[in-house]
Amino acid sequence: LLVGLHPDQATGGVVALAGAFGKPFAVAPCCTFADDFPDRRLAEGRPVRTYEDMVNWLKEQQAGTEATYLSFHGKNLVVYVPTDASATEVVDQAPPVEAAAPNPS
C-alpha cells in the first residue's frame, strides 16, 4: 500500500508508482499544482485545474478507486484503492531492531 498525505507535486507520482507495481494506494491531495502539470487531463479532455478536478483525475487513474473523508480538519478527502481482505495478511515480517551500542567517543 502506497500512502501520500498531502504529497503536493508527488501526488500523481504516488498513484503512478502504485500502478506500476500493482499496489493499492491512498492519497489525500491538497493542491492541484495545475501550472506544474499542464498535461494532466480528465477523461473528457479538460485540463485538471481545480481541487475537484484533481480528485476526479486521481479516481480515473485506476479502476475501483473510491473516495471518503478522514477524521481531521482541512483537506481530508482521501482517494484510495481498497485492499482485499486477503491482502492484509502479514507475509514477511522484519526482525526486531536491536538497540544500537553506545558511542564510546
Side-chain angles (χ1 to χ4, degrees), residues 1-102:
L1 172 66
L2 277 79
V3 177
L5 183 58
H6 295 196
D8 294 332
Q9 289 98 328
T11 302
V14 170
V15 175
L17 186 64
F21 285 95
K23 300 291 183 185
F25 68 86
V27 177
C30 183
C31 304
T32 62
F33 292 96
D35 293 338
D36 291 344
F37 300 98
D39 295 332
R40 281 186 183 157
R41 302 270 171 193
L42 295 164
E44 65 193 37
R46 203 167 40 82
V48 174
R49 301 295 304 168
T50 67
Y51 179 77
E52 183 179 348
D53 289 345
M54 181 68 162
V55 169
N56 288 327
W57 180 80
L58 289 167
K59 289 167 68 176
E60 293 173 356
Q61 300 308 299
Q62 191 169 330
T65 303
E66 299 179 14
T68 193
Y69 290 91
L70 300 173
S71 60
F72 61 82
H73 296 287
K75 296 282 189 183
N76 62 350
L77 183 118
V78 62
V79 179
Y80 67 100
V81 173
T83 60
D84 75 28
S86 64
T88 61
E89 182 180 338
V90 175
V91 176
D92 187 17
Q93 192 171 27
V97 176
E98 295 180 27

